Structure formats: C-alpha cells, structure tokens
Amino acid sequence: MSASNGITITWLGHAATTIDTPDGTKILIDPWVQGNPSTPDALKSIENLDLVLITHGHSDHMGDAVEIARSTRAHVIANFEITQYLGSKGIENTTGMNIGGTVQWKGSRISMVNAIHSSGISEGDSIAYGGSASGFVIEFENDFVLYHAGDTDVFEDMKLIGDMYSPDVAMLPIGGHFTMGPTGAARAAGMLDVAAVIPIHYGTFPALTGTPAELENALRKASDVKVVALQPGQSVDQEDLV
Ligand code: NI
Ligand code: MN
C-alpha cells in the first residue's frame, strides 16, 4: 500500500503496469505477468482488479488477459478486434474501442491513441488479426494524466497527443528492436512535453538493449525531463513524478 493521496504507478516489468487511484480503483495495463521474466514472483498473482487495458495483440502485452479477466472479473478495454477475440474465449465483460475514442471509466477518461506498430494475436501456428496497435492516455479524477505508449516508434503526432491531453508523465518503450530506442524516446518526451518519463519495454530480452542511462543522455541535450527508472515491482507516487 502507498501513502500517496494521488495516483500510484507500479511497473511489473516490460510493459505491464498497475495503477492505483485515490478512489481505490486498480487498473492493469498490458497484463503479461505469469510468463513475464521481469515480474517479481510476489506480484504475479493479481487480485481485486477493476480494469484491464490492452495496447495490442502481441503475447508480451495480451499476456494473461483471458485468465486474469476470468479470475478477477475485471472489465477489459482494448481495440474492437481484441475484444472480439476475448469474447470468443468467453470473456464478455469488455469494451471494444478504437483510436481516437474516449471511454469514461468511473472517474477516469481513457483515450486510445495511435501507435506505430502491429497487433497480430499468435495462436498455435497461426496469427489472428488483432486490429491496430495503440497507446492509452488516462485522465484521472484528480486531473493527473498518464500516457502509456504501448509498443511504438516515435511519431510526430506525439506532439498532437501532447497538445490534446497535456500528459504529466509518459511510459515510453526504450528497448529498441521492436520499438523506438532511447534516442527516439527522448524525441518523444520533447514532443509530449511531459515532466517525467518512466522507461518500459527494455531489458526483458537480449534484443531490447536500450537503457534508462542512454535515455538520460539523449534527453540531457535538450530538456529537463526527469527519467524515473523503476525496478520491476517498484512503485512511484504521482507527487514524485511532477
Ligand atoms: Ni508488440
Ligand atoms: Mn512488445
């Protein structure tokens, strides 16, 4: 538990993230937990969950969505195709949406935004169409705004995301290979005009070589954005980000 009066963000490693809000809501973004080598064992079983957000169909993001939705009865928000897929697995407590849309969830406004990536859902030897990859902007009831970029390259419309939503903090992939690396993430932070970046999607696999130190170096030239590098399982309170 946290002593924060605001939002508490806990990074579970890779893209998986939980968010606790002041009204007691628990949100899980990209529920890859059981098979996630970065997630501490003590945090692998998730209970009392209200909402799951899925950025795209790749297994390192969809992860345990079916099992977690089933066991916690949490509501799931994802793109239309992913919610259709979940429906075929018996998960009906979902809201399918698409890029540009906003869904109200209790006190939070959740907007799906663009990502430059792919979204196929692997199942055995085949890949099901998983719609478009996305990111999420969450505007919490206390006006704190978080942007979780999912998997993406940097793109110039991040400037538009910054202008439209004024995010306080961005969780940005920095590992490279499947996403942007530290140099791209530094450009993204500048366009988004955020106070802090929490780096994600690095270190999980050997190919994801980008590091928070490289992001700090890339940022130092241009801005005063704070890099908040968490250990998997570590939490940070809103007050320590802005
Ligand atoms: Ni991906
Ligand atoms: Mn990924």
Side-chain angles (χ1 to χ4, degrees):
M1 285 303 291
S2 154
S4 174
N5 295 317
I7 306 301
T8 298
I9 298 167
T10 303
W11 184 50
L12 299 181
H14 206 58
T17 304
T18 56
I19 300 157
D20 292 280
T21 77
D23 69 4
T25 300
K26 192 189 248 329
I27 301 171
L28 171 60
I29 305 176
D30 282 351
W32 186 46
V33 179
Q34 286 298 333
N36 184 339
S38 298
T39 306
D41 285 342
L43 298 178
K44 280 185 188 280
S45 70
I46 293 177
E47 293 155 17
N48 303 319
L49 186 66
D50 299 288
L51 181 63
V52 178
L53 307 181
I54 304 170
T55 61
H56 65 291
H58 292 160
S59 59
D60 57 319
H61 299 260
M62 284 268 282
D64 317 310
V66 171
E67 294 80 4
I68 288 173
R70 204 172 272 151
S71 66
T72 66
R73 297 169 176 266
H75 195 84
V76 180
I77 295 176
N79 73 35
F80 175 76
E81 288 80 4
I82 289 173
T83 57
Q84 289 285 299
Y85 173 86
L86 293 173
S88 77
K89 305 294 177 191
I91 305 301
E92 305 287 352
N93 188 16
T94 63
T95 299
M97 62 185 302
N98 219 321
I99 290 163
T102 300
V103 168
Q104 185 82 34
W105 174 264
K106 296 184 181 169
S108 300
R109 286 167 52 81
I110 296 163
S111 299
M112 182 175 279
V113 298
N114 199 21
I116 306 294
H117 197 65
S118 56
S119 184
I121 303 169
S122 295
E123 199 165 38
D125 291 338
S126 61
I127 296 184
Y129 178 65
S132 299
S134 68
F136 286 104
V137 175
I138 312 177
E139 300 165 272
F140 296 99
E141 68 263 28
N142 65 356
D143 294 333
F144 183 76
V145 181
L146 171 70
Y147 168 45
H148 186 297
D151 280 358
T152 186
D153 190 13
V154 61
F155 51 96
E156 200 159 17
D157 283 356
M158 286 179 172
K159 177 83 172 66
L160 189 58
I161 293 172
D163 288 348
M164 287 180 69
Y165 301 103
S166 301
D168 295 291
V169 175
M171 301 187 79
L172 300 177
I174 65 162
H177 195 87
F178 295 109
T179 69
M180 60 186 168
T183 308
R187 295 290 290 259
M191 286 191 283
L192 292 161
D193 197 21
V194 287
V197 172
I198 299 174
I200 60 174
H201 214 273
Y202 68 96
T204 330
F205 313 116
L208 309 189
T209 56
T211 64
E214 289 172 328
L215 174 61
E216 278 182 344
N217 281 335
L219 277 167
R220 201 163 286 149
K221 295 167 191 155
S223 77
D224 54 1
V225 177
K226 187 158 64 170
V227 175
V228 180
L230 301 175
Q231 295 300 313
Q234 190 182 357
S235 300
V236 62
D237 294 335
Q238 167 182 345
E239 294 84 353
D240 298 319
L241 290 166
V242 297

